Amino acid sequence: MKQILKLTMFLAAMAFVASCENNDIITDGGTFPETGGIDLTLGVLRSANYAEDNPLLEMDHKNVSDECMLTLTKPAEQTITYTVGIDKTLVGAYNGKNGTNYTPFPGDVILTNEQLKLEKGKQESSKAHLEFTYDKNLASAIYLLPLIVKGTSSNPAVSDSYQTIYYRINVWDEFAPAEYTTEPLVFTHIGYIDTENMNPLIANKLFYKLGREPHLSYVHAFSVINLLTATVKYDQSGSMPEISYNKDISYVLGHAKKYIMPLQAQGHKVCLTIKGDGQGIGFSNLNATQSQKLVYDIRKCLEIYGLDGVNLYDEDFSYKKEGDNLPSAANLCNFVTALRQAIDDKLITYAMTEESASGLDQSQNGIELGKIVDYAWTNQFNRLVNPWREDNPFGDDSQWKIAGLEQTKFGALTSTLKSLSQEEGELMEGSIFDNILDAGYMDLANVFVVNSIAKVVAGVETQGATYLLWGALINYDVLQGINPELVPGLGKGGYLDIHSDLCPKDW
């Protein structure tokens, strides 16, 4: 119950973070400078949307904007006008004072309504508007742009400390956000992306944000990305297998420079997921010649498109129930062995389903499947699966055991985005925290699988976003080793930083 309470608090915090990051709440502009008790009227230049003196604007492949105004400590005694303007010469002084190394924002900035008019009896002026223009030629970096306000000798003074807003513009190029680290996860998160619904570059927009300024660090949310989907069907001869690609996965593979290489540049391993096509031919019923053909097709695909491996999802094969087409654990082991020899050290992962051949928990002609694949998991969603534990609260999981597979390479939790009842949620949370954290059970805290990351929307599906965080929640101590100053009050593992728009399909 204690752990469930922690997770409930974490979910509430996630909702708060998501709303803050989308500016859904009104920010506090802070306090005015001290007047020393003297009856002076002082002015402060403020952003209309950010409380900080040096707000961070995320330029995520699109223009970003802000508004600013001047605020007085007392109502204006007469109608007055101030002027705001850009002064890039202040960047050097800012760097010298703060020990930073920013360069001036090199892109176009459109400043309109730069005359700030403050009516008599008012304390807030009209607003100036800034539009920072995105250009695909801008390098990934955080730039600085100072905006300063000036008045006349007859205007109330503007405090030296509050006459300038220093905008930090975080430009994401095609490959990554500027503040991304290249440090990989220290546990394994595997995520599926369905190219029919989502741009794969979503994976470069999800990362763990750990610590607090000035000690922030950013860590990848995923170790392996499985692209959906290719299928196995009969070729034109009706006797040999071939790989079939739908139009979406074909487009992504054909534009690997745009959709795959940027993921790999940030440390993600990108793999192709292969399922069945309902034609009765698949991983577990291939003869030697058929196996050789499918292995060849997979190897050529990985080579041509520069992929890091393959995910064998043992589903939708519609194996026949008679004759030589019955699924066989021995055939599967022979096929995977041949595949391993053909693709060397590239990743082979295996998703076990109800269609998988029986007998995978035993050696097949001296071959143990678990010693060939890099990782394996099941299609049992939103519950802890532990084939090694007899007293699992979800019952007997021995059917999911794979011979030779180490527990540290088994995905005990595969989450999928769906609505859960309160009872289902409590059972899931209780199982995870009460069992996976038990002494002697942490071997199952290394691999976590997210069946789909296409539906995650900041501020809307906070529960779904939390499913992406199970590994971080459980591996709190590990993440703390990366950055001991985890964000306070946000639960175990810091939190997942989710950017707007999340890469919708652009093809």
Side-chain angles (χ1 to χ4, degrees):
M1 189 68 188
K2 180 179 179 182
Q3 297 292 353
I4 294 175
L5 179 60
K6 287 184 180 180
L7 183 60
T8 303
M9 294 173 64
F10 177 82
L11 288 172
M14 274 293 301
F16 173 75
V17 170
S19 64
C20 288
E21 297 219 271
N22 284 278
N23 295 317
D24 291 331
I25 62 173
I26 299 174
T27 57
D28 182 359
T31 59
F32 291 106
E34 294 291 338
T35 61
I38 303 175
D39 191 18
L40 295 177
T41 302
L42 293 178
V44 177
L45 183 63
R46 293 178 52 205
S47 163
N49 300 303
Y50 300 89
E52 313 97 294
D53 297 329
N54 55 340
L56 178 65
L57 279 62
E58 298 284 357
M59 181 169 277
D60 183 5
H61 297 83
K62 61 184 178 182
N63 296 351
V64 292
S65 61
D66 190 32
E67 291 184 317
C68 67
M69 67 278 190
L70 192 89
T71 306
L72 297 183
T73 56
K74 294 175 59 178
E77 296 180 359
Q78 60 183 1
T79 298
I80 50 180
T81 300
Y82 295 83
T83 302
V84 292
I86 296 168
D87 189 352
K88 295 184 179 181
T89 65
L90 297 175
V91 172
Y94 181 95
N95 286 333
K97 179 180 179 180
N98 295 280
T100 54
N101 192 32
Y102 293 119
T103 57
F105 178 66
D108 293 332
V109 182
I110 301 173
L111 176 61
T112 55
N113 303 323
E114 63 266 31
Q115 300 295 315
L116 303 181
K117 187 176 182 179
L118 211 156
E119 301 285 350
K120 179 180 179 180
K122 303 292 185 180
Q123 286 184 259
E124 186 174 290
S125 73
S126 60
K127 293 182 176 66
H129 183 84
L130 291 98
E131 182 87 8
F132 299 86
T133 305
Y134 174 71
D135 185 330
K136 65 180 181 180
N137 294 316
L138 289 173
S140 184
I142 303 178
Y143 300 99
L144 194 71
L145 186 125
L147 184 75
I148 190 169
V149 63
K150 296 180 180 179
T152 65
S153 58
S154 60
N155 289 350
V158 180
S159 167
D160 290 342
S161 300
Y162 291 88
Q163 67 178 356
T164 307
I165 297 176
Y166 294 95
Y167 286 101
R168 294 174 295 154
I169 303 96
N170 186 9
V171 175
W172 295 26
D173 65 14
E174 284 193 49
F175 290 89
E179 289 192 343
Y180 232 111
T181 78
T182 56
E183 186 170 14
L185 277 175
V186 287
F187 52 95
T188 302
H189 254 178
I190 298 171
Y192 286 95
I193 297 177
D194 188 347
T195 56
E196 185 176 346
N197 300 310
M198 182 57 58
N199 187 324
L201 294 178
I202 183 178
N204 268 3
K205 296 194 174 190
L206 300 171
F207 51 93
Y208 298 108
K209 187 175 182 179
L210 306 177
R212 48 187 167 180
E213 292 189 3
H215 303 294
L216 281 174
S217 61
Y218 297 78
V219 182
H220 303 293
F222 289 96
S223 316
V224 179
I225 301 298
N226 289 329
L227 299 178
L228 292 166
T229 183
T231 58
V232 179
K233 65 178 185 179
Y234 282 106
D235 66 5
Q236 291 184 348
S237 72
S239 61
M240 299 296 289
E242 70 174 8
I243 301 177
S244 175
Y245 306 90
N246 64 34
K247 61 182 180 64
D248 294 293
I249 191 65
S250 294
Y251 188 89
V252 169
L253 294 175
H255 296 79
K257 183 176 181 181
K258 180 175 182 180
Y259 297 109
I260 295 175
M261 290 175 61
L263 300 178
Q264 294 169 326
Q266 290 305 309
H268 301 101
K269 299 291 186 181
V270 182
C271 300
L272 177 67
T273 296
I274 302 179
K275 291 187 175 184
D277 199 68
Q279 296 189 12
I281 186 169
F283 309 138
S284 297
N285 65 351
L286 303 174
N287 60 38
T289 303
Q290 292 171 328
S291 177
Q292 184 179 15
K293 169 64 164 55
L294 187 57
V295 165
Y296 174 83
D297 287 350
I298 293 174
R299 187 189 71 186
K300 292 301 294 184
C301 175
L302 302 188
E303 291 176 352
I304 291 171
Y305 300 116
L307 296 169
D308 298 296
V310 61
N311 169 229
L312 306 175
Y313 204 112
D314 209 351
E315 186 175 70
D316 296 333
F317 285 106
S318 300
Y319 295 113
K320 293 181 180 179
K321 303 302 181 183
E322 58 185 27
D324 294 335
N325 288 317
L326 281 171
S328 161
N331 281 350
L332 177 64
C333 289
N334 290 336
F335 165 70
V336 178
T337 298
L339 181 61
R340 168 57 69 207
Q341 293 171 348
I343 66 175
D344 196 21
D345 59 352
K346 288 184 179 290
L347 286 176
I348 300 176
T349 60
Y350 180 69
M352 191 177 186
T353 74
E354 292 84 354
E355 292 186 34
S356 297
S358 60
L360 292 178
D361 60 331
Q362 303 170 23
S363 172
Q364 300 294 326
N365 298 323
I367 301 173
E368 293 181 324
L369 182 65
K371 292 183 178 179
I372 309 172
V373 299
D374 294 282
Y375 302 104
W377 53 90
T378 77
N379 66 342
Q380 304 301 292
F381 300 140
N382 301 335
R383 75 172 184 85
L384 195 65
V385 177
N386 184 4
W388 293 272
R389 182 167 176 171
E390 294 182 358
D391 59 341
N392 189 332
F394 286 104
D396 181 14
D397 278 331
S398 59
Q399 70 185 95
W400 305 112
K401 191 168 185 178
I402 297 175
L405 185 69
E406 298 176 11
Q407 294 187 44
T408 55
K409 294 186 176 183
F410 181 73
L413 178 64
T414 300
S415 62
T416 188
L417 303 183
K418 72 168 190 175
S419 299
L420 297 178
S421 68
Q422 183 175 353
E423 286 185 340
E424 288 175 324
E426 289 181 355
L427 183 60
M428 181 181 176
E429 294 161 10
S431 170
I432 292 167
F433 286 102
D434 293 343
N435 292 306
I436 208 167
L437 295 175
D438 283 352
Y441 200 38
M442 283 299 290
D443 281 346
L444 289 177
N446 185 57
V447 180
F448 301 88
V449 182
V450 179
N451 189 59
S452 171
I453 60 176
K455 298 180 181 179
V456 179
V457 179
V460 178
E461 298 191 40
T462 54
Q463 188 178 45
T466 304
Y467 284 172
L468 302 181
L469 282 168
W470 285 121
L473 291 169
I474 293 167
N475 284 279
Y476 170 79
D477 293 334
V478 176
L479 285 176
Q480 193 174 44
I482 294 176
N483 189 328
E485 297 198 21
L486 292 177
V487 178
L490 292 179
K492 289 191 172 186
Y495 66 94
L496 198 69
D497 197 355
I498 303 176
H499 285 260
S500 304
D501 296 340
L502 294 184
C503 281
K505 281 174 57 176
D506 57 0
W507 65 86

